[in-house]
Amino acid sequence: MDDRAVVVGGGIGGLAAAIGLHRAGWRVTVLERAPVLADVGAGISLAANGVRALEALGLGPALRAAGRPQYTGGTRTPDGRRLARMDGRVLERKLGTALVGISRARLHRLLRAALPDGALVTGAEVTGTGPADGRRVRVHATDTVREADLVVAADGVGSRLRARLFPAHPGPVRTGATVLRALTHRPVATDEDFTLTWGRGTEFGHLSLADGRAEWHAVLPASAGAPPGDALETAREEFAGWHRPVPELLAATRPGEVLRHDVQELATPLPRYFGGRTVLLGDAAHAMAPHLGQGACQGLEDAVTLAAALASGVGTDAALVRYDAERRPRSQSVAAAARRAGRLGPQLSAPLAVAARNAALRLAPDRVTVRAMLRHADWTPPAPD
């Protein structure tokens, strides 16, 4: 096979797609606009579907060696009262794996290590695409023009390639929330592997990592034009008095290492995930709110499904139709569920609504929480034809 693919974007989804295509026999180049791979980012908790996708790419052993299973945790109120319990052992029995916590930088390194030598090109910002001879696509990037049989647009929520394919689409919209994320610079003792704490219109969560450090995130209301300010000081003011280990996590964080960004999503679903020989993947296709922790997992599902379709022998055009038929309904359903989860969960701010939410969670049996997690995490990679 001499099919060539150009993957635009060197994030989790793009790297996973490149690995899958390489394993399927394609010659792959990943174009990443960042000139230097700084390996920044906080942490990520991968549900069973994300773990299974990485296993399908041959990265299961590396993930298990680098990650930490998330067995204990749940949802609490700011004073520490339990709202719902997350039992990772139950998930492990039902799905074959618990959630796995890992730093994004470590996951990126695992993915890059699985690429063929020379496949990743940094400092290459894609400025456009156009037709070439035959069915090929010409990709215009920094100081280079490449031709490919397939272009994988994994260029994130603000995807330029998506805008070119669907110029009438309204694009991403802000959800009205800002997320702060960081890794502690030293180990922090925590009672549980994974927690979410819901206040009034706010959320604070943490996950413990294999090296004893922890990742934390905070979701706060924010207007579109809110000044960035001191992110760590903002978190310390907002979450002062919350239960442990929130104060300990913030105290173990360096001010300059807190990431801050406004949350955006594709509230208007796309009519399809491809156009010609360009296919959309990850946030470029279905950027979603973070409330189910499924954004990266859905991108990993995309990567494995795309590679399986292209390896099936039906031809590239038919494979893209198959990919769209398999991925668009599921990923758009998960995106809609994430939006609902935010509105009915941490985004509630009215006192009566918060009290009703908390009462409902306390009264729900643990099996209801498990069933809700299974609804999105129970995914099986497509079998080879």
mmCIF file of all heavy atoms in Angstrom, residues 66-119:
data_model
loop_
_atom_site.group_PDB
_atom_site.id
_atom_site.type_symbol
_atom_site.label_atom_id
_atom_site.label_comp_id
_atom_site.label_asym_id
_atom_site.label_seq_id
_atom_site.Cartn_x
_atom_site.Cartn_y
_atom_site.Cartn_z
ATOM 1 N N ALA A 66 2.166 3.417 32.953
ATOM 2 C CA ALA A 66 2.314 4.846 33.233
ATOM 3 C C ALA A 66 1.146 5.433 34.014
ATOM 4 O O ALA A 66 1.307 6.455 34.692
ATOM 5 C CB ALA A 66 2.476 5.619 31.927
ATOM 6 N N GLY A 67 -0.029 4.814 33.931
ATOM 7 C CA GLY A 67 -1.222 5.377 34.542
ATOM 8 C C GLY A 67 -1.505 4.798 35.914
ATOM 9 O O GLY A 67 -0.800 3.919 36.416
ATOM 10 N N ARG A 68 -2.544 5.303 36.524
ATOM 11 C CA ARG A 68 -2.972 4.839 37.844
ATOM 12 C C ARG A 68 -4.462 4.537 37.794
ATOM 13 O O ARG A 68 -5.267 5.411 37.460
ATOM 14 C CB ARG A 68 -2.695 5.900 38.903
ATOM 15 C CG ARG A 68 -3.298 5.594 40.266
ATOM 16 C CD ARG A 68 -2.808 6.545 41.321
ATOM 17 N NE ARG A 68 -3.592 6.443 42.540
ATOM 18 C CZ ARG A 68 -3.241 6.972 43.710
ATOM 19 N NH1 ARG A 68 -2.093 7.626 43.803
ATOM 20 N NH2 ARG A 68 -4.005 6.857 44.772
ATOM 21 N N PRO A 69 -4.868 3.306 38.129
ATOM 22 C CA PRO A 69 -6.304 2.992 38.154
ATOM 23 C C PRO A 69 -7.022 3.856 39.185
ATOM 24 O O PRO A 69 -6.487 4.140 40.266
ATOM 25 C CB PRO A 69 -6.339 1.513 38.554
ATOM 26 C CG PRO A 69 -4.976 0.989 38.267
ATOM 27 C CD PRO A 69 -4.044 2.143 38.462
ATOM 28 N N GLN A 70 -8.225 4.266 38.847
ATOM 29 C CA GLN A 70 -9.034 5.096 39.735
ATOM 30 C C GLN A 70 -10.118 4.215 40.357
ATOM 31 O O GLN A 70 -11.153 3.954 39.752
ATOM 32 C CB GLN A 70 -9.657 6.253 38.952
ATOM 33 C CG GLN A 70 -8.664 7.045 38.098
ATOM 34 C CD GLN A 70 -7.710 7.867 38.931
ATOM 35 O OE1 GLN A 70 -8.126 8.817 39.599
ATOM 36 N NE2 GLN A 70 -6.435 7.524 38.904
ATOM 37 N N TYR A 71 -9.865 3.756 41.578
ATOM 38 C CA TYR A 71 -10.778 2.806 42.218
ATOM 39 C C TYR A 71 -11.757 3.473 43.184
ATOM 40 O O TYR A 71 -12.872 3.002 43.363
ATOM 41 C CB TYR A 71 -9.987 1.745 42.974
ATOM 42 C CG TYR A 71 -9.300 0.739 42.078
ATOM 43 C CD1 TYR A 71 -7.926 0.556 42.139
ATOM 44 C CD2 TYR A 71 -10.031 -0.021 41.169
ATOM 45 C CE1 TYR A 71 -7.290 -0.361 41.316
ATOM 46 C CE2 TYR A 71 -9.408 -0.941 40.348
ATOM 47 C CZ TYR A 71 -8.033 -1.105 40.421
ATOM 48 O OH TYR A 71 -7.406 -2.011 39.603
ATOM 49 N N THR A 72 -11.333 4.539 43.838
ATOM 50 C CA THR A 72 -12.170 5.141 44.871
ATOM 51 C C THR A 72 -12.453 6.596 44.543
ATOM 52 O O THR A 72 -11.616 7.306 43.984
ATOM 53 C CB THR A 72 -11.476 5.070 46.238
ATOM 54 O OG1 THR A 72 -10.223 5.762 46.175
ATOM 55 C CG2 THR A 72 -11.216 3.619 46.637
ATOM 56 N N GLY A 73 -13.632 7.037 44.892
ATOM 57 C CA GLY A 73 -13.970 8.434 44.665
ATOM 58 C C GLY A 73 -15.456 8.649 44.592
ATOM 59 O O GLY A 73 -16.253 7.819 45.023
ATOM 60 N N GLY A 74 -15.829 9.779 44.039
ATOM 61 C CA GLY A 74 -17.236 10.104 43.912
ATOM 62 C C GLY A 74 -17.447 11.598 43.917
ATOM 63 O O GLY A 74 -16.527 12.386 43.674
ATOM 64 N N THR A 75 -18.682 11.994 44.226
ATOM 65 C CA THR A 75 -19.085 13.393 44.196
ATOM 66 C C THR A 75 -19.434 13.852 45.597
ATOM 67 O O THR A 75 -20.068 13.111 46.358
ATOM 68 C CB THR A 75 -20.299 13.577 43.267
ATOM 69 O OG1 THR A 75 -20.007 12.995 41.993
ATOM 70 C CG2 THR A 75 -20.631 15.052 43.079
ATOM 71 N N ARG A 76 -19.017 15.062 45.958
ATOM 72 C CA ARG A 76 -19.233 15.602 47.291
ATOM 73 C C ARG A 76 -19.745 17.039 47.217
ATOM 74 O O ARG A 76 -19.718 17.671 46.162
ATOM 75 C CB ARG A 76 -17.929 15.567 48.107
ATOM 76 C CG ARG A 76 -17.402 14.162 48.398
ATOM 77 C CD ARG A 76 -16.131 14.218 49.221
ATOM 78 N NE ARG A 76 -15.611 12.884 49.515
ATOM 79 C CZ ARG A 76 -15.963 12.161 50.579
ATOM 80 N NH1 ARG A 76 -16.831 12.658 51.447
ATOM 81 N NH2 ARG A 76 -15.449 10.955 50.788
ATOM 82 N N THR A 77 -20.175 17.537 48.359
ATOM 83 C CA THR A 77 -20.516 18.941 48.525
ATOM 84 C C THR A 77 -19.281 19.678 49.047
ATOM 85 O O THR A 77 -18.324 19.046 49.510
ATOM 86 C CB THR A 77 -21.675 19.115 49.525
ATOM 87 O OG1 THR A 77 -21.273 18.576 50.797
ATOM 88 C CG2 THR A 77 -22.923 18.381 49.040
ATOM 89 N N PRO A 78 -19.263 21.007 49.007
ATOM 90 C CA PRO A 78 -18.075 21.733 49.463
ATOM 91 C C PRO A 78 -17.661 21.440 50.904
ATOM 92 O O PRO A 78 -16.485 21.565 51.244
ATOM 93 C CB PRO A 78 -18.474 23.194 49.281
ATOM 94 C CG PRO A 78 -19.424 23.167 48.132
ATOM 95 C CD PRO A 78 -20.220 21.914 48.317
ATOM 96 N N ASP A 79 -18.613 21.039 51.752
ATOM 97 C CA ASP A 79 -18.234 20.714 53.127
ATOM 98 C C ASP A 79 -17.811 19.258 53.292
ATOM 99 O O ASP A 79 -17.535 18.811 54.414
ATOM 100 C CB ASP A 79 -19.367 21.051 54.106
ATOM 101 C CG ASP A 79 -20.648 20.274 53.830
ATOM 102 O OD1 ASP A 79 -20.622 19.370 52.956
ATOM 103 O OD2 ASP A 79 -21.677 20.564 54.472
ATOM 104 N N GLY A 80 -17.763 18.518 52.190
ATOM 105 C CA GLY A 80 -17.247 17.157 52.224
ATOM 106 C C GLY A 80 -18.294 16.075 52.305
ATOM 107 O O GLY A 80 -17.956 14.874 52.273
ATOM 108 N N ARG A 81 -19.573 16.433 52.406
ATOM 109 C CA ARG A 81 -20.600 15.391 52.484
ATOM 110 C C ARG A 81 -20.708 14.642 51.158
ATOM 111 O O ARG A 81 -20.631 15.233 50.090
ATOM 112 C CB ARG A 81 -21.954 16.015 52.849
ATOM 113 C CG ARG A 81 -22.059 16.450 54.298
ATOM 114 C CD ARG A 81 -23.404 17.086 54.570
ATOM 115 N NE ARG A 81 -23.560 18.332 53.822
ATOM 116 C CZ ARG A 81 -24.710 18.983 53.692
ATOM 117 N NH1 ARG A 81 -25.826 18.490 54.221
ATOM 118 N NH2 ARG A 81 -24.753 20.120 53.013
ATOM 119 N N ARG A 82 -20.906 13.341 51.278
ATOM 120 C CA ARG A 82 -20.976 12.480 50.093
ATOM 121 C C ARG A 82 -22.307 12.653 49.380
ATOM 122 O O ARG A 82 -23.375 12.620 49.987
ATOM 123 C CB ARG A 82 -20.813 11.020 50.524
ATOM 124 C CG ARG A 82 -20.992 10.005 49.414
ATOM 125 C CD ARG A 82 -19.763 9.820 48.597
ATOM 126 N NE ARG A 82 -18.675 9.250 49.379
ATOM 127 C CZ ARG A 82 -17.457 9.041 48.897
ATOM 128 N NH1 ARG A 82 -17.172 9.370 47.652
ATOM 129 N NH2 ARG A 82 -16.510 8.537 49.669
ATOM 130 N N LEU A 83 -22.234 12.822 48.039
ATOM 131 C CA LEU A 83 -23.433 12.836 47.211
ATOM 132 C C LEU A 83 -23.585 11.535 46.428
ATOM 133 O O LEU A 83 -24.677 11.001 46.303
ATOM 134 C CB LEU A 83 -23.390 14.016 46.229
ATOM 135 C CG LEU A 83 -23.485 15.419 46.826
ATOM 136 C CD1 LEU A 83 -23.334 16.463 45.741
ATOM 137 C CD2 LEU A 83 -24.803 15.597 47.573
ATOM 138 N N ALA A 84 -22.500 11.051 45.868
ATOM 139 C CA ALA A 84 -22.534 9.807 45.078
ATOM 140 C C ALA A 84 -21.164 9.156 45.169
ATOM 141 O O ALA A 84 -20.144 9.834 45.307
ATOM 142 C CB ALA A 84 -22.896 10.094 43.623
ATOM 143 N N ARG A 85 -21.139 7.827 45.078
ATOM 144 C CA ARG A 85 -19.901 7.075 45.188
ATOM 145 C C ARG A 85 -19.530 6.485 43.831
ATOM 146 O O ARG A 85 -20.387 5.985 43.094
ATOM 147 C CB ARG A 85 -20.062 5.949 46.211
ATOM 148 C CG ARG A 85 -18.771 5.196 46.531
ATOM 149 C CD ARG A 85 -19.031 4.127 47.577
ATOM 150 N NE ARG A 85 -19.617 4.702 48.782
ATOM 151 C CZ ARG A 85 -18.928 5.261 49.767
ATOM 152 N NH1 ARG A 85 -17.602 5.341 49.671
ATOM 153 N NH2 ARG A 85 -19.541 5.750 50.817
ATOM 154 N N MET A 86 -18.238 6.544 43.517
ATOM 155 C CA MET A 86 -17.710 5.908 42.308
ATOM 156 C C MET A 86 -16.864 4.714 42.741
ATOM 157 O O MET A 86 -15.838 4.891 43.406
ATOM 158 C CB MET A 86 -16.868 6.899 41.501
ATOM 159 C CG MET A 86 -16.459 6.418 40.095
ATOM 160 S SD MET A 86 -15.058 5.286 40.045
ATOM 161 C CE MET A 86 -13.716 6.328 40.592
ATOM 162 N N ASP A 87 -17.299 3.510 42.388
ATOM 163 C CA ASP A 87 -16.597 2.286 42.761
ATOM 164 C C ASP A 87 -15.891 1.732 41.533
ATOM 165 O O ASP A 87 -16.507 1.088 40.684
ATOM 166 C CB ASP A 87 -17.573 1.259 43.336
ATOM 167 C CG ASP A 87 -16.856 0.075 43.968
ATOM 168 O OD1 ASP A 87 -15.696 -0.183 43.605
ATOM 169 O OD2 ASP A 87 -17.464 -0.599 44.814
ATOM 170 N N GLY A 88 -14.595 1.996 41.431
ATOM 171 C CA GLY A 88 -13.850 1.530 40.270
ATOM 172 C C GLY A 88 -13.757 0.030 40.161
ATOM 173 O O GLY A 88 -13.593 -0.505 39.060
ATOM 174 N N ARG A 89 -13.858 -0.686 41.289
ATOM 175 C CA ARG A 89 -13.812 -2.151 41.242
ATOM 176 C C ARG A 89 -15.023 -2.706 40.513
ATOM 177 O O ARG A 89 -14.918 -3.682 39.761
ATOM 178 C CB ARG A 89 -13.746 -2.725 42.656
ATOM 179 C CG ARG A 89 -12.528 -2.289 43.452
ATOM 180 C CD ARG A 89 -11.275 -2.989 43.000
ATOM 181 N NE ARG A 89 -10.122 -2.582 43.811
ATOM 182 C CZ ARG A 89 -8.881 -2.971 43.578
ATOM 183 N NH1 ARG A 89 -8.614 -3.760 42.550
ATOM 184 N NH2 ARG A 89 -7.894 -2.557 44.359
ATOM 185 N N VAL A 90 -16.170 -2.075 40.727
ATOM 186 C CA VAL A 90 -17.382 -2.516 40.021
ATOM 187 C C VAL A 90 -17.228 -2.272 38.525
ATOM 188 O O VAL A 90 -17.551 -3.138 37.693
ATOM 189 C CB VAL A 90 -18.622 -1.785 40.568
ATOM 190 C CG1 VAL A 90 -19.854 -2.107 39.722
ATOM 191 C CG2 VAL A 90 -18.868 -2.166 42.025
ATOM 192 N N LEU A 91 -16.735 -1.089 38.160
ATOM 193 C CA LEU A 91 -16.512 -0.800 36.745
ATOM 194 C C LEU A 91 -15.508 -1.778 36.143
ATOM 195 O O LEU A 91 -15.668 -2.236 35.008
ATOM 196 C CB LEU A 91 -16.012 0.632 36.565
ATOM 197 C CG LEU A 91 -16.981 1.754 36.941
ATOM 198 C CD1 LEU A 91 -16.281 3.098 36.854
ATOM 199 C CD2 LEU A 91 -18.204 1.725 36.037
ATOM 200 N N GLU A 92 -14.485 -2.108 36.894
ATOM 201 C CA GLU A 92 -13.468 -3.042 36.404
ATOM 202 C C GLU A 92 -14.061 -4.422 36.150
ATOM 203 O O GLU A 92 -13.742 -5.071 35.151
ATOM 204 C CB GLU A 92 -12.327 -3.125 37.410
ATOM 205 C CG GLU A 92 -11.112 -3.886 36.921
ATOM 206 C CD GLU A 92 -9.968 -3.790 37.902
ATOM 207 O OE1 GLU A 92 -10.167 -4.153 39.079
ATOM 208 O OE2 GLU A 92 -8.874 -3.345 37.499
ATOM 209 N N ARG A 93 -14.941 -4.859 37.046
ATOM 210 C CA ARG A 93 -15.581 -6.171 36.847
ATOM 211 C C ARG A 93 -16.489 -6.161 35.625
ATOM 212 O O ARG A 93 -16.554 -7.138 34.883
ATOM 213 C CB ARG A 93 -16.379 -6.565 38.092
ATOM 214 C CG ARG A 93 -15.519 -6.963 39.284
ATOM 215 C CD ARG A 93 -16.335 -7.702 40.319
ATOM 216 N NE ARG A 93 -17.402 -6.887 40.868
ATOM 217 C CZ ARG A 93 -17.267 -6.084 41.932
ATOM 218 N NH1 ARG A 93 -16.091 -6.004 42.546
ATOM 219 N NH2 ARG A 93 -18.297 -5.401 42.399
ATOM 220 N N LYS A 94 -17.179 -5.059 35.410
ATOM 221 C CA LYS A 94 -18.144 -5.005 34.316
ATOM 222 C C LYS A 94 -17.498 -4.707 32.967
ATOM 223 O O LYS A 94 -17.970 -5.178 31.928
ATOM 224 C CB LYS A 94 -19.222 -3.957 34.613
ATOM 225 C CG LYS A 94 -20.158 -4.350 35.758
ATOM 226 C CD LYS A 94 -21.217 -3.304 35.976
ATOM 227 C CE LYS A 94 -22.219 -3.731 37.051
ATOM 228 N NZ LYS A 94 -23.020 -4.902 36.645
ATOM 229 N N LEU A 95 -16.419 -3.917 32.984
ATOM 230 C CA LEU A 95 -15.840 -3.439 31.733
ATOM 231 C C LEU A 95 -14.429 -3.960 31.477
ATOM 232 O O LEU A 95 -13.875 -3.735 30.400
ATOM 233 C CB LEU A 95 -15.807 -1.907 31.724
ATOM 234 C CG LEU A 95 -17.166 -1.204 31.777
ATOM 235 C CD1 LEU A 95 -16.967 0.301 31.915
ATOM 236 C CD2 LEU A 95 -17.985 -1.521 30.543
ATOM 237 N N GLY A 96 -13.839 -4.611 32.470
ATOM 238 C CA GLY A 96 -12.480 -5.108 32.295
ATOM 239 C C GLY A 96 -11.413 -4.108 32.682
ATOM 240 O O GLY A 96 -10.224 -4.427 32.678
ATOM 241 N N THR A 97 -11.803 -2.887 33.032
ATOM 242 C CA THR A 97 -10.844 -1.868 33.445
ATOM 243 C C THR A 97 -11.550 -0.810 34.269
ATOM 244 O O THR A 97 -12.723 -0.492 34.035
ATOM 245 C CB THR A 97 -10.161 -1.195 32.232
ATOM 246 O OG1 THR A 97 -9.251 -0.186 32.684
ATOM 247 C CG2 THR A 97 -11.181 -0.552 31.305
ATOM 248 N N ALA A 98 -10.844 -0.285 35.253
ATOM 249 C CA ALA A 98 -11.305 0.911 35.946
ATOM 250 C C ALA A 98 -10.917 2.130 35.115
ATOM 251 O O ALA A 98 -10.276 2.014 34.060
ATOM 252 C CB ALA A 98 -10.672 0.983 37.336
ATOM 253 N N LEU A 99 -11.314 3.309 35.568
ATOM 254 C CA LEU A 99 -10.776 4.514 34.959
ATOM 255 C C LEU A 99 -9.273 4.546 35.203
ATOM 256 O O LEU A 99 -8.785 4.003 36.203
ATOM 257 C CB LEU A 99 -11.415 5.761 35.553
ATOM 258 C CG LEU A 99 -12.852 6.105 35.140
ATOM 259 C CD1 LEU A 99 -13.868 5.264 35.901
ATOM 260 C CD2 LEU A 99 -13.133 7.591 35.398
ATOM 261 N N VAL A 100 -8.538 5.181 34.308
ATOM 262 C CA VAL A 100 -7.089 5.295 34.440
ATOM 263 C C VAL A 100 -6.712 6.772 34.405
ATOM 264 O O VAL A 100 -7.054 7.485 33.456
ATOM 265 C CB VAL A 100 -6.353 4.536 33.323
ATOM 266 C CG1 VAL A 100 -4.843 4.768 33.427
ATOM 267 C CG2 VAL A 100 -6.674 3.049 33.391
ATOM 268 N N GLY A 101 -6.011 7.214 35.439
ATOM 269 C CA GLY A 101 -5.532 8.583 35.488
ATOM 270 C C GLY A 101 -4.097 8.678 35.010
ATOM 271 O O GLY A 101 -3.254 7.842 35.360
ATOM 272 N N ILE A 102 -3.812 9.669 34.195
ATOM 273 C CA ILE A 102 -2.469 9.850 33.651
ATOM 274 C C ILE A 102 -2.295 11.318 33.303
ATOM 275 O O ILE A 102 -3.265 12.012 32.964
ATOM 276 C CB ILE A 102 -2.247 8.956 32.401
ATOM 277 C CG1 ILE A 102 -0.793 8.996 31.928
ATOM 278 C CG2 ILE A 102 -3.200 9.334 31.276
ATOM 279 C CD1 ILE A 102 -0.479 7.975 30.840
ATOM 280 N N SER A 103 -1.078 11.816 33.396
ATOM 281 C CA SER A 103 -0.843 13.200 32.975
ATOM 282 C C SER A 103 -0.923 13.266 31.452
ATOM 283 O O SER A 103 -0.550 12.323 30.748
ATOM 284 C CB SER A 103 0.519 13.700 33.448
ATOM 285 O OG SER A 103 1.564 13.103 32.718
ATOM 286 N N ARG A 104 -1.419 14.371 30.951
ATOM 287 C CA ARG A 104 -1.522 14.528 29.497
ATOM 288 C C ARG A 104 -0.144 14.498 28.843
ATOM 289 O O ARG A 104 0.017 13.964 27.749
ATOM 290 C CB ARG A 104 -2.250 15.831 29.152
ATOM 291 C CG ARG A 104 -3.753 15.759 29.404
ATOM 292 C CD ARG A 104 -4.453 17.050 29.030
ATOM 293 N NE ARG A 104 -5.893 16.926 29.214
ATOM 294 C CZ ARG A 104 -6.754 16.585 28.257
ATOM 295 N NH1 ARG A 104 -6.301 16.344 27.027
ATOM 296 N NH2 ARG A 104 -8.038 16.498 28.494
ATOM 297 N N ALA A 105 0.850 15.082 29.506
ATOM 298 C CA ALA A 105 2.195 15.070 28.939
ATOM 299 C C ALA A 105 2.703 13.639 28.785
ATOM 300 O O ALA A 105 3.298 13.284 27.764
ATOM 301 C CB ALA A 105 3.142 15.871 29.827
ATOM 302 N N ARG A 106 2.459 12.794 29.785
ATOM 303 C CA ARG A 106 2.910 11.402 29.712
ATOM 304 C C ARG A 106 2.167 10.670 28.600
ATOM 305 O O ARG A 106 2.762 9.881 27.848
ATOM 306 C CB ARG A 106 2.673 10.718 31.058
ATOM 307 C CG ARG A 106 3.284 9.328 31.178
ATOM 308 C CD ARG A 106 4.790 9.390 31.255
ATOM 309 N NE ARG A 106 5.397 8.074 31.337
ATOM 310 C CZ ARG A 106 5.616 7.413 32.472
ATOM 311 N NH1 ARG A 106 5.238 7.962 33.623
ATOM 312 N NH2 ARG A 106 6.199 6.244 32.460
ATOM 313 N N LEU A 107 0.856 10.898 28.477
ATOM 314 C CA LEU A 107 0.088 10.247 27.422
ATOM 315 C C LEU A 107 0.573 10.691 26.052
ATOM 316 O O LEU A 107 0.707 9.866 25.130
ATOM 317 C CB LEU A 107 -1.399 10.554 27.595
ATOM 318 C CG LEU A 107 -2.343 9.947 26.560
ATOM 319 C CD1 LEU A 107 -2.184 8.428 26.480
ATOM 320 C CD2 LEU A 107 -3.796 10.316 26.864
ATOM 321 N N HIS A 108 0.860 11.973 25.887
ATOM 322 C CA HIS A 108 1.388 12.463 24.610
ATOM 323 C C HIS A 108 2.702 11.768 24.263
ATOM 324 O O HIS A 108 2.928 11.383 23.110
ATOM 325 C CB HIS A 108 1.616 13.978 24.685
ATOM 326 C CG HIS A 108 0.393 14.776 24.358
ATOM 327 N ND1 HIS A 108 0.267 15.508 23.201
ATOM 328 C CD2 HIS A 108 -0.769 14.959 25.027
ATOM 329 C CE1 HIS A 108 -0.913 16.106 23.175
ATOM 330 N NE2 HIS A 108 -1.559 15.794 24.277
ATOM 331 N N ARG A 109 3.569 11.592 25.263
ATOM 332 C CA ARG A 109 4.844 10.936 24.992
ATOM 333 C C ARG A 109 4.652 9.473 24.590
ATOM 334 O O ARG A 109 5.360 8.969 23.713
ATOM 335 C CB ARG A 109 5.766 11.051 26.214
ATOM 336 C CG ARG A 109 6.251 12.475 26.471
ATOM 337 C CD ARG A 109 7.427 12.500 27.432
ATOM 338 N NE ARG A 109 7.053 12.082 28.775
ATOM 339 C CZ ARG A 109 6.626 12.906 29.726
ATOM 340 N NH1 ARG A 109 6.499 14.207 29.474
ATOM 341 N NH2 ARG A 109 6.345 12.462 30.929
ATOM 342 N N LEU A 110 3.701 8.795 25.222
ATOM 343 C CA LEU A 110 3.418 7.404 24.845
ATOM 344 C C LEU A 110 2.940 7.323 23.401
ATOM 345 O O LEU A 110 3.351 6.433 22.644
ATOM 346 C CB LEU A 110 2.349 6.813 25.768
ATOM 347 C CG LEU A 110 2.697 6.627 27.238
ATOM 348 C CD1 LEU A 110 1.515 6.016 27.978
ATOM 349 C CD2 LEU A 110 3.937 5.759 27.391
ATOM 350 N N LEU A 111 2.083 8.243 23.026
ATOM 351 C CA LEU A 111 1.557 8.251 21.665
ATOM 352 C C LEU A 111 2.655 8.569 20.658
ATOM 353 O O LEU A 111 2.775 7.913 19.612
ATOM 354 C CB LEU A 111 0.409 9.255 21.545
ATOM 355 C CG LEU A 111 -0.884 8.899 22.293
ATOM 356 C CD1 LEU A 111 -1.794 10.109 22.400
ATOM 357 C CD2 LEU A 111 -1.617 7.756 21.594
ATOM 358 N N ARG A 112 3.472 9.561 20.948
ATOM 359 C CA ARG A 112 4.536 9.925 20.013
ATOM 360 C C ARG A 112 5.537 8.791 19.833
ATOM 361 O O ARG A 112 6.071 8.595 18.729
ATOM 362 C CB ARG A 112 5.239 11.199 20.489
ATOM 363 C CG ARG A 112 4.369 12.436 20.456
ATOM 364 C CD ARG A 112 5.223 13.693 20.427
ATOM 365 N NE ARG A 112 6.156 13.773 21.533
ATOM 366 C CZ ARG A 112 5.909 14.389 22.700
ATOM 367 N NH1 ARG A 112 4.720 14.955 22.893
ATOM 368 N NH2 ARG A 112 6.826 14.451 23.633
ATOM 369 N N ALA A 113 5.796 8.060 20.908
ATOM 370 C CA ALA A 113 6.762 6.965 20.824
ATOM 371 C C ALA A 113 6.283 5.849 19.904
ATOM 372 O O ALA A 113 7.100 5.068 19.404
ATOM 373 C CB ALA A 113 7.038 6.405 22.219
ATOM 374 N N ALA A 114 4.983 5.762 19.666
ATOM 375 C CA ALA A 114 4.438 4.710 18.808
ATOM 376 C C ALA A 114 4.398 5.107 17.336
ATOM 377 O O ALA A 114 4.034 4.299 16.485
ATOM 378 C CB ALA A 114 3.027 4.336 19.277
ATOM 379 N N LEU A 115 4.785 6.346 17.023
ATOM 380 C CA LEU A 115 4.812 6.796 15.631
ATOM 381 C C LEU A 115 6.099 6.344 14.946
ATOM 382 O O LEU A 115 7.129 6.189 15.593
ATOM 383 C CB LEU A 115 4.735 8.317 15.567
ATOM 384 C CG LEU A 115 3.428 8.995 15.973
ATOM 385 C CD1 LEU A 115 3.619 10.504 15.966
ATOM 386 C CD2 LEU A 115 2.302 8.587 15.044
ATOM 387 N N PRO A 116 6.050 6.149 13.641
ATOM 388 C CA PRO A 116 7.303 5.862 12.924
ATOM 389 C C PRO A 116 8.219 7.080 12.959
ATOM 390 O O PRO A 116 7.770 8.223 13.082
ATOM 391 C CB PRO A 116 6.828 5.553 11.500
ATOM 392 C CG PRO A 116 5.486 6.193 11.381
ATOM 393 C CD PRO A 116 4.875 6.129 12.750
ATOM 394 N N ASP A 117 9.514 6.841 12.850
ATOM 395 C CA ASP A 117 10.490 7.929 12.882
ATOM 396 C C ASP A 117 10.191 8.951 11.789
ATOM 397 O O ASP A 117 9.913 8.596 10.639
ATOM 398 C CB ASP A 117 11.900 7.382 12.682
ATOM 399 C CG ASP A 117 12.380 6.555 13.862
ATOM 400 O OD1 ASP A 117 11.781 6.685 14.947
ATOM 401 O OD2 ASP A 117 13.331 5.768 13.690
ATOM 402 N N GLY A 118 10.252 10.211 12.175
ATOM 403 C CA GLY A 118 10.076 11.281 11.206
ATOM 404 C C GLY A 118 8.638 11.606 10.853
ATOM 405 O O GLY A 118 8.393 12.497 10.028
ATOM 406 N N ALA A 119 7.672 10.905 11.464
ATOM 407 C CA ALA A 119 6.271 11.127 11.091
ATOM 408 C C ALA A 119 5.728 12.446 11.631
ATOM 409 O O ALA A 119 4.826 13.033 11.041
ATOM 410 C CB ALA A 119 5.400 9.971 11.595
#
